[in-house]
Amino acid sequence: MLSKKSQYAFKALSYLVEKRNDGPVLISEIAEHKKIPLKFLENILLELKKADILDSKKGKGGGYFFRENPENVKLAKIIRLVNGPIAMLPCVSLNFYEKCEDCNEDHCGLHDVLIEVRDASLNILEKKTLMDLVD
């Protein structure tokens, strides 16, 4: 399940996609239109800025805007950045792998099924971009 933080990130990014041709967007405008707590949104947008997805401009006419073209930003990248692993178990994660305690991956049916779930999810999330979030 996507965390609330991820849901807010996607809401904010979808708003920025809609406003991408209007110049920088104030954080207060995003928060108001998407019903996101301002303090929470500030942290999310800073993470996205540190990852070079967004940039910001201070002062009059300032706000947040895309540094990276939203057509090139895969949804999988955002989920990993904000939410962490896409896989449902750490032993099937590609980027956040951890061996499960007391588990033999060679003979674990759950492991095998969740690899299929991970691969099916990634097949979609690696094809979809931020542009797919808007009509």
Side-chain angles (χ1 to χ4, degrees):
M1 190 180 319
L2 282 180
S3 66
K4 198 67 160 170
K5 182 178 179 184
S6 293
Q7 292 175 45
Y8 287 155
F10 282 124
K11 284 181 178 188
L13 288 166
S14 67
Y15 189 76
L16 286 169
V17 168
E18 291 171 352
K19 300 290 186 178
R20 69 190 176 283
N21 298 321
D22 298 346
V25 180
L26 293 172
I27 190 170
S28 58
E29 179 182 338
I30 301 168
E32 180 182 330
H33 283 271
K34 290 299 181 174
K35 308 285 189 266
I36 303 170
L38 190 60
K39 272 297 193 196
F40 209 6
L41 183 58
E42 286 174 353
N43 292 329
I44 292 167
L45 296 181
L46 280 175
E47 277 186 56
L48 295 168
K49 185 178 176 182
K50 287 178 188 174
D52 291 329
I53 293 165
L54 297 178
D55 206 347
S56 64
K57 180 181 170 189
K58 293 185 179 187
K60 186 174 181 168
Y64 279 88
F65 56 94
F66 281 102
R67 170 178 258 169
E68 189 171 341
N69 186 334
E71 292 176 356
N72 299 330
V73 180
K74 307 291 185 198
L75 298 186
K77 180 177 183 175
I78 302 300
I79 291 173
R80 286 183 176 125
L81 179 67
V82 178
N83 202 64
I86 290 170
M88 296 175 78
L89 283 177
C91 67
V92 299
S93 179
L94 295 174
N95 296 321
F96 300 90
Y97 174 85
E98 286 182 30
K99 185 169 176 38
C100 292
E101 292 180 30
D102 302 323
C103 182
N104 181 353
E105 292 172 13
D106 295 331
H107 303 291
C108 178
L110 183 59
H111 175 269
D112 297 343
V113 169
L114 290 182
I115 284 178
E116 289 183 51
V117 171
R118 176 206 65 203
D119 290 347
S121 296
L122 281 175
N123 186 39
I124 297 167
L125 295 170
E126 288 290 352
K127 289 179 184 172
K128 300 291 184 179
T129 70
L130 292 176
M131 295 301 288
D132 292 303
L133 297 178
V134 295
D135 297 330

